[in-house]
Amino acid sequence: MADEITETSQTVAAGQLRAIIERIERLEEEKKTISDDIKDVYAEAKGTGFDVKAVRQLVRMRKQDQAERQEAEAILDLYKAALGMV
Amino acid sequence: MADEITETSQTVAAGQLRAIIERIERLEEEKKTISDDIKDVYAEAKGTGFDVKAVRQLVRMRKQDQAERQEAEAILDLYKAALGMV
Amino acid sequence: MADEITETSQTVAAGQLRAIIERIERLEEEKKTISDDIKDVYAEAKGTGFDVKAVRQLVRMRKQDQAERQEAEAILDLYKAALGMV
Amino acid sequence: MADEITETSQTVAAGQLRAIIERIERLEEEKKTISDDIKDVYAEAKGTGFDVKAVRQLVRMRKQDQAERQEAEAILDLYKAALGMV
């Protein structure tokens, strides 16, 4: 009796588990497609003559707060000067 | 004269650069949305009583070739036995 | 006058900054050496016929609490069975 | 007979496997100690008033070739100017 109940409850769980995993797999595929699209834009930028590393850095920098970024850059410049790095 | 040409060519490049960066930013936003959707599915799975770590592992395992995965598991079991790990 | 003080204080800071950075660089070199040693042991294991991926997994598993690991493995086996994965 | 041989060969392998894993674990412990030492230096730098993020960036920059770094910085400055980022 207990086994039967367990089996039934496991059968239900299996269906739920499969549904969850298939949803995750579909979303991961979509995510992969977008990641590939991003790579394509960078490849296109490179093809047009842009420096990809600098473009990546700009994308990162634009996410930061401008005042915070400027302050961080000022500190770094101060430290570079202190070490004689030009 | 040279300056003018340079300026014009830089103006064009600025437009192109801005367009590239805005395309990347839009794609990164879409990617972020999908990442959040994936997190939501895992949260929902957790809410339903599933073990999230095991679900993640299953998703990873289903990407592998079945025969390769089975062989890897057999080797690991052999090594665990050799070390007395149960 | 103010400039002189500033210069002196910056000179001190520069010395401190350089000392800090050189200490970090020395430690990072030592860390790199050990990382290389670890790679060498894995390469040696591979050379002796061991499966490196399984060895890595064993090293990871031995860091876990045994009871927790066994429970996690039991859950994963249950989920695999529910999905008909062998 | 075959079983005996197998058992013997597995016994040898078990000893070797254990030795390999223990060497890796010792090295990983040493690596962890050094990682902690590095964290301590950064914490000390922070305590003395240095900006830790800038120090990290300096450490990274000093690993790069100077000419390459200067060129990368010049390109980034050009792109920032093109986008009106100050």
Side-chain angles (χ1 to χ4, degrees), chain B residues 77 79-86, chain C residues 58 61-62 66 69-70:
Chain B
D77 284 343
Y79 287 7
K80 281 169 69 178
L83 295 183
M85 290 171 82
V86 285
Chain C
L58 273 186
M61 286 165 70
R62 280 165 57 105
Q66 194 194 11
R69 176 177 60 76
Q70 285 170 337

Side-chain angles (χ1 to χ4, degrees), chain D residues 32-43:
Chain D
K32 172 85 177 56
T33 304
I34 295 177
S35 293
D36 289 344
D37 288 347
I38 293 173
K39 271 185 211 148
D40 287 347
V41 180
Y42 278 113

Side-chain angles (χ1 to χ4, degrees), chain D residues 8-25:
Chain D
T8 311
S9 92
Q10 286 206 351
T11 305
V12 175
Q16 264 193 304
L17 181 57
R18 187 174 295 280
I20 284 164
I21 283 174
E22 285 172 359
R23 279 169 64 200
I24 293 167
E25 286 175 345

Side-chain angles (χ1 to χ4, degrees), chain B residues 51-67:
Chain B
D51 183 286
V52 165
K53 215 172 152 183
V55 175
R56 271 186 209 285
Q57 215 162 333
L58 272 186
V59 169
R60 249 198 324 272
M61 286 166 69
R62 279 166 58 104
K63 286 180 196 152
Q64 297 176 276
D65 172 80
Q66 193 194 10

Side-chain angles (χ1 to χ4, degrees), chain D residues 1-69:
Chain D
M1 226 13 205
D3 274 356
E4 252 181 85
I5 292 168
T6 306
E7 268 202 24
T8 311
S9 92
Q10 286 206 351
T11 305
V12 175
Q16 264 193 304
L17 181 57
R18 187 174 295 280
I20 284 164
I21 283 174
E22 285 172 359
R23 279 169 64 200
I24 293 167
E25 286 175 345
R26 268 193 303 274
L27 288 165
E28 285 195 348
E29 259 172 59
E30 286 179 43
K31 195 175 157 186
K32 172 85 177 56
T33 304
I34 295 177
S35 293
D36 289 344
D37 288 347
I38 293 173
K39 271 185 211 148
D40 287 347
V41 180
Y42 278 113
E44 195 189 312
K46 192 188 169 84
T48 325
F50 286 106
D51 182 286
V52 166
K53 214 171 152 184
V55 175
R56 273 187 208 286
Q57 215 163 334
L58 272 185
V59 170
R60 249 198 325 273
M61 285 165 69
R62 279 164 58 104
K63 286 180 196 152
Q64 297 175 278
D65 173 79
Q66 193 194 13
E68 280 177 28
R69 176 178 58 77

